[in-house]
Amino acid sequence: MIVIVLTACPSGLRGDVSRWLLEISPGVFVGHISARVREKLWERIVDTLKDGRAIMVFSARNEQHLDFRVFRSDWKPVDCDGLQLIKHPNEGKHDTYAGTKRHGWSNAAKYRRAKKYRG
């Protein structure tokens, strides 16, 4: 089984990939092809893709039963004790508490302390 996701790619490339795989949504292709055809198709995608991105997920004989390739994406594959994970860089674009330290007591702690001293 193979899944390929193409973003901002030329229409000719989508037509080329649709010869081998089914396009179930714009830019999302699925199917079952041999490893040799998969590698040749990936080479063609990388050569033809101009400013877009490509992600390919396919079946493999490993613990996760899958493997993936990423081309021109912010998300990077990382090996973590034999498992392939995707690392998403956090550059302050998202509203999270990662890396920020809040000083002082929380409101809940303040109410608890006030209740304790009230009697």
Side-chain angles (χ1 to χ4, degrees), residues 9-66:
C9 68
S11 59
L13 178 60
R14 285 178 50 192
D16 217 13
V17 175
S18 67
R19 292 180 191 169
W20 300 99
L21 303 170
L22 295 172
E23 188 171 13
I24 60 171
S25 185
V28 180
F29 300 88
V30 297
H32 186 78
I33 55 177
S34 68
R36 185 176 193 167
V37 173
R38 179 187 70 224
E39 294 305 318
K40 293 290 184 183
L41 188 60
W42 182 250
E43 287 175 15
R44 187 173 202 128
I45 289 170
V46 169
D47 291 341
T48 310
L49 204 58
K50 295 177 182 173
D51 296 327
R53 297 179 306 194
I55 298 172
M56 177 174 66
V57 181
F58 55 93
S59 301
R61 290 186 175 179
N62 58 20
E63 255 182 66
Q64 292 174 299
H65 299 285
L66 61 91

Side-chain angles (χ1 to χ4, degrees), residues 70-85:
V70 178
F71 180 71
R72 201 179 284 142
S73 177
D74 294 340
W75 295 29
K76 302 291 179 199
V78 177
D79 183 77
C80 182
D81 292 333
L83 296 176
Q84 288 286 338
L85 303 175

